[in-house]
Amino acid sequence: MNEESTKNCDWIFDFTATNSFSQGIVRAKLAKGIRICKGYFSDFGNLGVLFFEGDNRNPRIDDLEIMLYAQYKELPIIASWLQREQEAIQKTINTNIGIGCNSETIILADDVVSLHAAYFSGVIKNESKLVASKNGKIFLNKIQHEPFFSNSPIFLEVPELYVIESINDPSWQIRLKTGIIEQMKKEMGLAMPNETGGIIIGRANYKTKTIHIVELLDAPNDSRYSPGSFLRGIQDLPETIQEINDQSGTQLGYIGEWHSHPFGPNKLSSVDLKTIHKIKEDFENRQTNIPVFIIVVTPTDLLPFVF
């Protein structure tokens, strides 16, 4: 799938629910102006999910998926769904029943399929009449069986993400939720003249070479600050990260660290490089499946590094 093969297309609809096809769409360079929609069933068929990418492919399908997961704090329905999904995945070793439409063995009643299909059809027809939105759109259709059979639609709108390439390895792309940069800049200003920093929460994808940032955690109370350095502490940090991991059904977690250089330099310092080397060794010993990811924030720049 490329620009030439899609130049006469207005829409691409992905209802395959396979990660490989979706990742192919994410990586593909498509014809300008094409609109992309992805839909699938999850939560044993009780949740229909429909994504519409924003204009100019920002937010993309993968952005929308991660931003949906990031709603686990605000929407209990998302947290409970993700937790059920993770519990079911852990149990599938001893069962033949699928949990989502990407499972070949999922069993769904005709009325459930028909209700989701009707909802998807209505939404798609309506969206096709509208001018492409700058924001991405997420439509959810939640089916309840108790105390009676019913459905509840939910609509979420996702603004453009800030997108930047890794300084040392441009094959990696960093995609930040709205407000993250402003939060870093604000914390840098409040800490001046000292350096400050914190933990980055999100998700990394090696296949698409993408890191999504959805949340920042403040530096632990035992962190140390000075005009020339920042030493991030560990007090209560493992427990906090584990809680995020559990509440989001393992979809989100620790992804890296950030710190400020309020008076420069606009690059990694010698201390930073030593810290990165130490973290990389630790990751290799623990066989951690994420890259070493660091952001340096200065008054004029946001400098991400992926190792």
Side-chain angles (χ1 to χ4, degrees):
M1 189 181 300
N2 53 38
E3 187 173 352
E4 180 63 25
S5 65
T6 57
K7 66 180 181 180
N8 294 320
C9 297
D10 294 321
W11 285 84
I12 292 177
F13 294 97
D14 173 16
F15 295 105
T16 61
T18 62
N19 289 330
S20 58
F21 187 80
S22 294
Q23 289 170 357
I25 292 178
V26 167
R27 293 193 298 264
K29 293 184 178 180
L30 306 175
K32 188 175 181 179
I34 197 166
R35 300 177 68 179
I36 299 176
C37 170
K38 173 183 173 64
Y40 61 89
F41 303 158
S42 189
D43 199 12
F44 300 97
N46 293 317
L47 184 68
V49 182
L50 196 62
F51 298 131
F52 290 88
E53 287 192 349
D55 196 18
N56 295 320
R57 304 211 64 193
N58 185 1
R60 297 184 313 205
I61 288 174
D62 56 333
D63 301 331
L64 296 172
E65 187 113 46
I66 300 300
M67 293 308 125
L68 177 59
Y69 299 156
Q71 292 291 316
Y72 75 95
K73 284 187 178 179
E74 285 74 24
L75 296 176
I77 185 178
I78 302 300
S80 59
W81 158 50
L82 295 176
Q83 291 163 26
R84 279 194 301 273
E85 191 100 336
Q86 181 59 26
E87 290 171 2
I89 288 173
Q90 294 173 346
K91 294 177 181 178
T92 52
I93 298 174
N94 299 315
T95 183
N96 293 321
I97 305 301
I99 59 175
C101 60
N102 59 328
S103 304
E104 294 179 359
T105 55
I106 188 171
I107 299 174
L108 294 179
D110 288 344
D111 50 8
V112 169
V113 175
S114 297
L115 184 52
H116 284 315
Y119 179 74
F120 282 10
S121 176
V123 171
I124 290 170
K125 285 180 180 178
N126 188 63
E127 286 297 313
S128 67
K129 299 174 184 176
L130 303 176
V131 176
S133 171
K134 187 176 181 180
N135 295 336
K137 297 180 179 181
I138 303 174
F139 294 85
L140 305 177
N141 188 45
K142 175 65 178 175
I143 292 179
Q144 298 91 26
H145 296 269
E146 300 292 341
F148 50 84
F149 186 80
S150 62
N151 71 299
S152 305
I154 299 173
F155 170 67
L156 302 170
E157 200 161 16
V158 179
E160 284 183 294
L161 278 69
Y162 182 84
V163 181
I164 188 172
E165 292 178 346
S166 168
I167 300 297
N168 63 307
D169 184 355
S171 67
W172 278 94
Q173 191 177 77
I174 321 302
R175 303 177 73 87
L176 299 91
K177 180 182 177 182
T178 301
I180 294 292
I181 297 177
E182 291 78 6
Q183 185 178 346
M184 290 178 178
K185 295 280 188 179
K186 180 180 179 180
E187 292 186 19
M188 176 178 64
L190 292 172
M192 282 186 174
N194 294 329
E195 291 189 5
T196 189
I199 303 299
I200 300 171
I201 300 298
R203 184 166 170 173
N205 188 320
Y206 272 98
K207 291 185 178 179
T208 61
K209 302 296 285 289
T210 303
I211 292 176
H212 282 94
I213 300 176
V214 302
E215 184 180 351
L216 300 178
L217 296 183
D218 292 338
N221 291 332
D222 60 339
S223 300
R224 290 186 284 175
Y225 312 79
S226 75
S229 68
F230 165 71
L231 182 61
R232 191 263 296 158
I234 61 171
Q235 183 178 333
D236 299 327
L237 186 58
E239 294 81 3
T240 301
I241 292 175
Q242 186 61 53
E243 183 179 3
I244 291 171
N245 197 251
D246 292 341
Q247 289 182 355
S248 68
T250 73
Q251 295 296 339
L252 302 171
Y254 171 94
I255 199 62
E257 320 228 355
W258 76 274
H259 69 278
S260 65
H261 287 178
F263 305 107
N266 282 22
K267 62 180 182 179
L268 293 171
S269 67
S270 58
V271 175
D272 294 336
L273 291 172
K274 289 180 182 178
T275 301
I276 289 168
H277 180 71
K278 185 176 181 181
I279 294 174
K280 192 169 179 62
E281 279 189 344
D282 184 54
F283 277 16
E284 289 173 353
N285 292 334
R286 295 170 180 265
Q287 297 183 327
T288 304
N289 61 347
I290 59 172
V292 177
F293 175 47
I294 303 288
I295 290 182
V296 174
V297 180
T298 75
T300 58
D301 288 305
L302 181 80
L303 308 170
F305 298 87
V306 181
F307 297 89

